[in-house]
Amino acid sequence: MTKSQLISLLNDMTLDEKIGQLVQVNGNFFLEEENVQTGPISRLGINEDMIYKVGSIINTVGAKNVITVQDKYLEKSRLKIPLMFMADIINGYKTVFPIPLAQGCSWNTEVVKRCAQIAMKEASVAGVNVNFYPMVDVVRDARWGRVMESTGGEDTYLNEIYSKVLVNAIQGNDISKEGNCVACIKHFAAYGAVESGREYNKVDMSERELRQYYLSPYKSGIEEKAKMIMTSFNIVDGIPATINKWLLREILRGEYGFDGIVISDYSAIQETISHGVSQDKKDAALRAINAGVDIDMLTNVYSNFLKELVKEDVLTISLIDEAVYRILKLKNELKLFENPYGNANAEKEKKILLNKENLEEARKLTRETFVLLKNEKNILPIKENQKIALIGPYADNFAITGEWSMFSERENIVTIKQALEERIGKEKILYAKGSNMLTTREMNYILKSEGKPLLKNGEELKTKKKYLNEAMTVAKNADIIVLAVGEHYKQSGEGNARVSIRLPKLQINLINVLKTLNKPIIMILFNGRPLVLEEVENKIDAILDVWFPGTEGARAIWDILFGNESPSGKLNMCFPEHEGQIPIYYNQYNTGRPNINNLRFESRYQDASIYPKYPFGFGLSYSKFEYKDLKLSSTILHKGKYDKITVSVTVKNCGKFDAKEIVQLYIQDLFGNVVRPIKELKGFKKVLIKANEKKKVEFEITEEMLKFWNKDLEYVSEKGTFKVYVGCNSKECLEDKFELI
Ligand code: NOJ
């Protein structure tokens, strides 16, 4: 449609039809067998008439479902404006990739891009028009369950980079084409900074902190022309983000020039009443539309109250028109007016979903997301003739795709045990479960939160002994113990904040018991967040963090454990030594009393270090890399656009494996008119270096990279001295200096 056709369509719409476009419901209205009146309609509290005017559907996927819903809707709708179908395709649709936090650990934009592209290839034929992804919230608190959804982790720069990559991977260069859809950046803004890691909690910080560390990843995605953004559940400076005019109108639309659609998070407009700002639903509707929220996700606030507000002249129709126009425009860009089914295609689903190429590529991509945290005496890779005892609640478990993989099916997932059987043959497998995943108490936290019946206390005691005995028997017959342990997948993800981020108790016990055999123990760690490994770390010889690795994860794990490829991931979020250190991140400030000698009146803890167990950027390889000859092309950088310094370093692979290394560049602004962090990531390169070879790796430093939000909230650089660090992680670096003049 042309612009004028869209405008004339808008002009033909009744007020109810316009409001309908701003309402999102789920597909049950059209799919459920139950009586729609007593079922979904009464649950949501909107009238049936409105159902045939709504603009979009959440989380109905699959070509057949999408086509049915669209048909049923269009049949009864007057203007026949097609629905848009939106869903959360986070780490894959049917072929599931590692969780975003893991993907980010690849520090390989190609890996992140391909995971998203394959996910989109599958999701688009399943009828998805809009993907609620990427989440680009900066996350510095591992207690928050949703850190698993972050690709950039604790660092702003990494989040900026991945934000761009993901928006491009999802949208491609034409959102209407098969394999692409609309990217919805979330959660605007600063959701990752919820106080004490508690879900939906308050966020409060200075505007400088907000701009310096939290906002720019959203902005990066907008610069790549992301067409949608989702508000966050939290407050920002006292006002819920979803009705925060300053955030949504001034910053997002004003400063960033965002002209796409703003969607509320799930019932977030209504929740501004519980926040204690909106008085009632009508008030919430007015605040949200005034702030610039176009779509109300899954409540009746817009559907039931916007009309009244217009009739009472409290709300000008032009605000509604603006929002509706944006929605019509997007539907037009998706070419839904020409073909309301978009790319939904049941025949293609059969060919594309979980096809051989997708799975093979998934296996390859997944290998790069693992982080080798420990490898004493080079126990890994496993040697050909070693007899393995495979033990642990994750050893033969399908639940390795993470909290968001809601569209994947168990039968498509390969377990660790099955993948080992494929490699060495069934008859050679020494396997024992070793323990349940969780104690009943731990399991009951989960069941209770989901309103499910609880287990009887002490239930695990019935099997505990038996599992341990079996584990000891197989372990005794083996040379090495490979232990597949970790968090339950429902201990991370939305609504799963934890104060203790340690391994579940039964699994710690299992490790303690196995340790008595004095055999080497290799731990495959499953987790949706960094963990505190205090109780077990010194009992384990090697730790391979595989996060939640997805459909092909198990095969990829053995590829790495057997040394077909060296691990090459590095942490995008540090592992704390203790929960009491949280929030902990590498780009801290020095304080007036830096921790130098660990004396009482220094900024430190009495009972723990101030450093993480494994720092940001950390990850081992089967090879060893030596960094030498850090050189700057000049020690002076002139202010102004065109000057630059080239930083070079030589990295030698001193080991026996060809391997990839992630070379990291950090800069420290030694003095600023506001305090500057001890270092900030400004660049990285992942390079493949053959055994015994060396490579020169270069970075460029420009003035732009030195800018920050100064005391007057201007984004500027300041003359002065800067330190340059280049190294293998945020702690181990070579360093030099230059002046900006
Ligand atoms: C709530 C989550 O916060 C958001 O990330 C997600 O996209 C929506 N639900 C829709 O499922």
Side-chain angles (χ1 to χ4, degrees):
M1 273 206 239
T2 61
K3 190 172 177 187
S4 66
Q5 283 172 316
L6 282 181
I7 291 172
S8 84
L9 173 60
L10 179 68
N11 291 337
D12 284 347
M13 294 169 81
T14 62
L15 180 56
D16 280 333
E17 282 166 341
K18 287 178 181 173
I19 292 170
Q21 287 299 312
L22 315 187
V23 177
Q24 178 163 87
V25 299
N26 65 38
N28 293 348
F29 291 97
F30 308 93
L31 288 173
E32 271 195 5
E33 299 295 301
E34 67 174 303
N35 184 327
V36 172
Q37 281 296 346
T38 55
I41 288 191
S42 70
R43 278 201 293 275
L44 194 63
I46 65 180
N47 64 47
E48 195 181 358
D49 186 49
M50 182 51 89
I51 291 302
Y52 293 95
K53 296 189 174 70
V54 299
S56 56
I57 299 287
I58 183 173
N59 284 344
T60 289
V61 294
K64 188 165 164 261
N65 283 342
V66 164
I67 291 170
T68 309
V69 171
Q70 190 71 280
D71 281 344
K72 286 196 178 171
Y73 172 84
L74 290 177
E75 195 189 311
K76 287 209 191 166
S77 111
R78 184 181 76 96
L79 287 170
K80 317 248 172 273
I81 301 171
L83 291 164
M84 257 189 297
F85 290 82
M86 310 195 190
D88 295 278
I89 311 298
I90 309 301
N91 46 312
Y93 177 56
K94 293 289 177 187
T95 303
V96 183
F97 297 91
I99 55 169
L101 194 67
Q103 290 182 31
C105 288
S106 70
W107 296 56
N108 183 342
T109 52
E110 201 51 34
V111 167
V112 172
K113 179 172 122 193
R114 285 302 296 153
C115 292
Q117 283 179 333
I118 299 170
M120 285 305 97
K121 200 166 90 177
E122 295 194 346
S124 91
V125 293
V128 178
N129 304 128
V130 177
N131 188 3
F132 295 135
Y133 190 57
M135 179 181 109
V136 300
D137 306 327
V138 170
V139 294
R140 292 166 161 185
D141 190 330
R143 291 169 298 182
W144 193 42
R146 300 195 74 171
V147 304
M148 55 97 67
E149 288 173 61
S150 158
T151 320
E154 71 184 52
D155 184 58
T156 307
Y157 174 75
L158 214 46
N159 272 291
E160 287 169 8
I161 300 276
Y162 288 141
S163 177
K164 285 180 194 282
V165 168
L166 283 165
V167 168
N168 282 317
I170 294 166
Q171 296 195 158
N173 46 22
D174 178 350
I175 50 165
S176 72
K177 287 237 170 83
E178 188 184 307
N180 300 336
C181 69
V182 172
C184 174
I185 299 176
K186 62 193 190 184
H187 307 85
F188 196 67
Y191 189 26
V194 282
E195 196 172 273
S196 51
R198 178 153 61 85
E199 194 67 271
Y200 318 124
N201 203 6
K202 128 186 180 198
V203 169
D204 199 8
M205 63 177 75
S206 68
E207 185 176 339
R208 180 177 2 274
E209 182 89 354
L210 184 69
R211 288 181 180 275
Q212 186 68 46
Y213 301 108
Y214 289 89
L215 290 186
S216 58
Y218 310 105
K219 183 164 177 256
S220 299
I222 289 165
E223 283 164 0
E224 297 306 302
K225 309 252 173 309
K227 291 181 184 291
M228 195 176 289
I229 197 161
M230 188 186 290
T231 66
S232 56
F233 288 124
N234 54 282
I235 59 168
V236 171
D237 197 14
I239 300 177
T242 306
I243 52 170
N244 195 316
K245 237 175 160 173
W246 171 73
L247 204 57
L248 300 178
R249 290 243 182 240
E250 277 186 47
I251 296 194
L252 181 65
R253 297 222 186 264
E255 268 180 54
Y256 300 168
F258 178 68
D259 65 354
I261 291 173
V262 177
I263 187 167
S264 77
D265 201 347
Y266 206 105
S267 81
I269 302 180
Q270 180 169 313
E271 288 167 18
T272 62
I273 305 170
S274 309
H275 275 292
V277 177
S278 302
Q279 306 274 345
D280 50 28
K281 288 188 182 180
K282 192 166 156 189
D283 187 27
L286 182 63
R287 287 173 192 266
I289 192 97
N290 274 334
V293 178
D294 302 313
I295 301 180
D296 175 8
M297 188 192 286
L298 268 174
T299 75
N300 60 23
V301 172
Y302 272 10
S303 68
N304 294 3
F305 297 95
L306 285 180
K307 191 172 177 182
E308 243 174 274
L309 289 163
V310 174
K311 292 268 178 280
E312 289 165 8
D313 257 351
V314 188
L315 173 65
T316 79
I317 185 80
S318 66
L319 277 188
I320 293 189
D321 284 350
E322 251 177 45
V324 176
Y325 182 74
R326 281 194 277 264
I327 293 163
L328 296 180
K329 188 164 158 263
L330 190 63
K331 290 184 175 181
N332 193 37
E333 288 173 39
L334 284 162
K335 300 212 168 73
L336 295 178
F337 291 106
E338 285 88 343
N339 170 17
Y341 309 131
N343 296 303
N345 185 323
E347 279 311 302
K348 288 201 176 167
E349 277 184 323
K350 284 185 207 143
K351 290 196 194 117
I352 293 177
L353 308 186
L354 288 159
N355 71 19
K356 199 164 153 260
E357 294 94 81
N358 296 357
L359 293 173
E360 277 174 8
E361 203 173 337
R363 176 171 176 172
K364 187 169 141 252
L365 297 168
T366 304
R367 292 197 286 259
E368 277 207 43
T369 66
F370 302 156
V371 185
L372 183 63
L373 294 174
K374 185 172 180 182
N375 194 15
E376 286 293 290
K377 298 192 196 121
N378 291 329
I379 176 111
L380 284 176
I382 297 170
K383 322 291 170 290
E384 281 287 308
N385 49 1
Q386 280 177 317
K387 230 171 153 192
I388 304 167
L390 175 63
I391 298 173
Y394 269 111
D396 197 20
N397 196 324
F398 298 95
I400 58 171
T401 50
E403 235 311 67
W404 261 121
S405 59
M406 53 199 185
F407 305 118
S408 80
E409 282 112 33
R410 177 189 157 129
E411 54 271 23
N412 301 315
I413 298 159
V414 184
T415 72
I416 310 279
K417 177 168 167 271
Q418 288 170 342
L420 184 61
E421 284 169 2
E422 267 174 23
R423 282 187 93 111
I424 65 169
K426 239 183 178 148
E427 61 299 337
K428 292 208 187 129
I429 304 275
L430 290 172
Y431 159 78
K433 181 169 171 178
S435 80
N436 274 329
M437 182 84 68
L438 299 177
T439 59
T440 39
R441 189 191 164 96
E442 288 162 340
M443 196 59 214
N444 281 342
Y445 287 142
I446 296 172
L447 294 172
K448 194 168 173 215
S449 72
E450 298 191 337
K452 295 192 177 136
L454 303 189
L455 303 173
K456 265 211 225 108
N457 256 343
E459 192 79 353
E460 79 271 11
L461 299 177
K462 290 186 194 153
T463 48
K464 193 172 165 191
K465 236 190 166 146
K466 170 176 161 278
Y467 285 148
L468 283 174
N469 286 341
E470 285 166 3
M472 287 298 267
T473 310
V474 295
K476 276 180 195 156
N477 286 321
D479 304 317
I480 51 166
I481 300 165
V482 174
L483 205 56
V485 291
E487 288 184 299
H488 189 288
Y489 78 100
K490 288 212 168 173
Q491 289 183 312
S492 63
E494 184 175 350
N496 298 328
R498 296 170 69 199
V499 294
S500 167
I501 53 169
R502 298 175 184 231
L503 274 183
K505 291 201 174 59
L506 289 174
Q507 303 183 43
I508 295 179
N509 184 54
L510 171 65
I511 294 171
N512 287 337
V513 171
L514 289 172
K515 184 65 195 165
T516 59
L517 293 176
N518 250 328
K519 297 200 175 186
I521 303 181
I522 293 159
M523 177 159 117
I524 315 174
L525 181 62
F526 293 80
N527 47 335
R529 56 158 66 79
L531 297 178
V532 171
L533 297 174
E534 203 182 7
E535 294 90 347
V536 294
E537 202 268 347
N538 61 359
K539 296 171 186 146
I540 304 286
D541 299 274
I543 306 174
L544 183 70
D545 193 350
V546 301
W547 311 100
F548 288 105
T551 314
E552 285 293 299
R555 292 192 174 112
I557 287 170
W558 292 114
D559 290 343
I560 295 289
L561 292 182
F562 281 114
N564 301 98
E565 185 174 308
S566 169
S568 67
K570 300 211 181 200
L571 296 177
N572 49 4
M573 229 186 143
C574 66
F575 270 51
E577 199 179 276
H578 190 282
E579 292 91 342
Q581 299 172 309
I582 297 174
I584 180 167
Y585 44 92
Y586 79 95
N587 48 343
Q588 306 254 346
Y589 297 147
N590 250 333
T591 80
R593 296 184 176 192
N595 182 276
I596 296 168
N597 297 313
N598 207 20
L599 295 174
R600 179 171 167 200
F601 295 109
E602 293 178 0
S603 179
R604 55 150 213 152
Y605 298 107
Q606 193 177 61
D607 52 353
S609 98
I610 62 163
Y611 300 107
K613 177 71 200 165
Y614 301 115
F616 174 79
F618 176 84
L620 301 170
S621 157
Y622 291 158
S623 262
K624 262 213 129 12
F625 296 99
E626 193 182 81
Y627 284 65
K628 267 196 177 153
D629 302 328
L630 178 67
K631 286 198 186 104
L632 271 57
S633 60
S634 167
T635 51
I636 304 288
L637 182 71
H638 296 94
K639 262 181 168 277
K641 244 186 177 168
Y642 303 108
D643 202 12
K644 58 179 188 233
I645 293 177
T646 306
V647 182
S648 64
V649 70
T650 308
V651 184
K652 184 170 180 206
N653 181 343
C654 310
K656 294 194 195 93
F657 284 80
D658 298 348
K660 287 182 182 166
E661 168 68 339
I662 301 159
V663 184
Q664 301 160 40
L665 167 77
Y666 297 86
I667 295 181
Q668 179 186 15
D669 184 352
L670 287 183
F671 300 95
N673 80 1
V674 294
V675 173
R676 307 290 295 121
I678 52 172
K679 55 171 76 102
E680 290 174 296
L681 182 72
K682 292 290 175 182
F684 61 89
K685 284 196 176 150
K686 190 163 190 176
V687 281
L688 174 68
I689 311 180
K690 294 218 165 108
N692 270 314
E693 287 191 356
K694 49 182 163 191
K695 261 195 184 155
K696 189 170 166 188
V697 179
E698 288 188 343
F699 297 97
E700 272 181 5
I701 298 178
T702 60
E703 188 202 343
E704 196 55 33
M705 292 156 74
L706 311 178
K707 291 188 174 165
F708 66 101
W709 292 92
N710 74 4
K711 74 174 173 32
D712 302 316
L713 281 178
E714 298 154 339
Y715 191 62
V716 291
S717 69
E718 270 180 14
K719 291 181 180 168
T721 310
F722 293 80
K723 262 192 173 180
V724 179
Y725 302 86
V726 178
C728 58
N729 63 55
S730 60
K731 233 180 144 193
E732 296 169 77
C733 294
L734 301 174
E735 51 179 272
D736 206 337
K737 273 185 195 165
F738 70 91
E739 297 284 323
L740 178 70
I741 59 169

